[in-house]
Amino acid sequence: MSLVENLENIQKSIPEHVTLVAVSKTQPISAIQTLYDAGQRIFGENKVQEMVAKYEHLPKDIQWHMIGHLQKNKVKYMASFVHLIHSVDSFDLLKEINKQAAKHDRVIDCLLQIHIAQEETKFGMDEQEAESLLEVYKSEFPHVKVVGLMGMATFTEDESQVRKEFNFLKSIFVKLKSRYTDLEVLSMGMSGDFQMAIEEGSTMVRVGSSIFGERIYS
Ligand SMILES: *Cc1c(COP(=O)(O)O)cnc(C)c1O
């Protein structure tokens, strides 16, 4: 099947209230352009340099989402154009995003990444950290807006484990949203688990290999 057919099949299978982020990391500009020509406008990358290079070569109405772990010293390279940062996992990182956004007179939308997986290696904060950040950031950081939460489930065949983790993230989202009404986006679900994530309340899915095919790392 072609890239565009893959995209259309996924679009058809997700409800209208769910936003599809096409995860284009490692994929060539030509493939992104093909999906752009088919109407896709939201693309996700996990490396800042790669996203900047693609931004420079592609139409300027693409909405670029940073979905990967982010180092503070890289924020400045994308602060002029990034549309949504999914991977805010510390107060210091949010502070740096605020500082760089101010230089461009922008407000950058962000998601707080919550640790829900069993693996130690997945980044993110816990509910208490997220809550204390939400409590204080607005008065200090006028150039960022936290609009939701993001999480990654454990990489496992055990579907009940994955479902439990999505359900857990959704419950945190509902709780925080009742106090912080800016929270609208719940980013959870990838190629292997996005249907389940939607059943558990996801409003934004990040899908790479089901659109582009398996990634080839060079
Ligand atoms: C690569 C990646 C995805 C997409 O993964 P697929 O399994 O190819 O759909 C989603 N989210 C994050 C954070 C990623 O790094």
Side-chain angles (χ1 to χ4, degrees):
M1 274 210 281
S2 74
L3 279 183
V4 173
E5 283 172 322
N6 290 344
L7 176 72
E8 286 171 352
N9 285 337
I10 290 168
Q11 280 291 15
K12 261 184 260 162
S13 75
I14 66 179
E16 215 158 312
H17 72 274
V18 175
T19 302
L20 173 62
V21 179
V23 175
S24 50
K25 63 190 188 196
T26 77
Q27 305 297 340
I29 300 230
S30 57
I32 301 173
Q33 183 70 52
T34 298
L35 295 178
Y36 177 90
D37 293 339
Q40 179 67 23
R41 290 293 178 274
I42 306 175
F43 292 91
E45 292 283 337
N46 69 338
K47 295 208 168 80
V48 175
Q49 265 101 335
E50 188 175 337
M51 189 170 80
V52 170
K54 288 171 173 173
Y55 163 76
E56 285 169 355
H57 285 93
L58 283 156
K60 292 298 173 281
D61 62 338
I62 288 179
Q63 297 175 8
W64 291 101
H65 288 205
M66 174 46 60
I67 62 171
H69 183 64
L70 184 55
Q71 288 168 335
K72 274 180 285 184
N73 60 1
K74 302 272 175 71
V75 174
K76 57 178 176 285
Y77 301 114
M78 60 174 190
S80 68
F81 70 91
V82 67
H83 188 80
L84 179 64
I85 300 175
H86 291 230
S87 44
V88 174
D89 60 359
S90 74
F91 189 83
D92 283 353
L93 178 58
L94 197 65
K95 183 177 177 180
E96 177 64 15
I97 297 167
N98 179 70
K99 179 179 157 192
Q100 298 301 333
K103 292 184 184 168
H104 299 278
D105 202 21
R106 298 186 66 209
V107 175
I108 296 181
D109 285 348
C110 295
L111 307 179
L112 302 181
Q113 183 170 355
I114 307 293
H115 183 100
I116 55 170
Q118 289 181 316
E119 295 117 329
E120 286 292 325
T121 52
K122 296 229 163 104
F123 298 98
M125 28 182 128
D126 64 23
E127 182 183 346
Q128 280 67 41
E129 288 173 277
E131 171 135 38
S132 30
L133 197 154
L134 286 163
E135 195 59 44
V136 300
Y137 89 93
K138 274 205 162 171
S139 53
E140 298 188 45
F141 304 151
H143 290 278
V144 292
K145 185 177 177 193
V146 177
V147 298
L149 306 179
M150 181 273 237
M152 290 174 82
T154 305
F155 187 73
T156 172
E157 297 284 300
D158 182 356
E159 288 197 4
S160 69
Q161 176 66 26
V162 173
R163 189 177 288 279
K164 207 166 68 186
E165 291 168 2
F166 285 149
N167 190 273
F168 175 58
L169 181 56
K170 165 75 177 192
S171 73
I172 295 173
F173 179 71
V174 168
K175 241 190 286 175
L176 292 177
K177 187 179 161 65
S178 70
R179 295 188 51 198
Y180 306 97
T181 52
D182 287 343
L183 301 184
E184 292 172 347
V185 178
L186 183 55
S187 169
M188 60 183 195
M190 319 190 350
S191 289
D193 55 23
F194 71 87
Q195 300 290 7
M196 188 193 284
I198 292 168
E199 287 165 19
E200 296 302 328
S202 171
T203 70
M204 185 174 278
V205 293
R206 310 176 307 270
V207 179
S209 41
S210 287
I211 300 174
F212 291 96
E214 292 304 317
R215 277 180 293 279
I216 298 159
Y217 289 95
S218 48

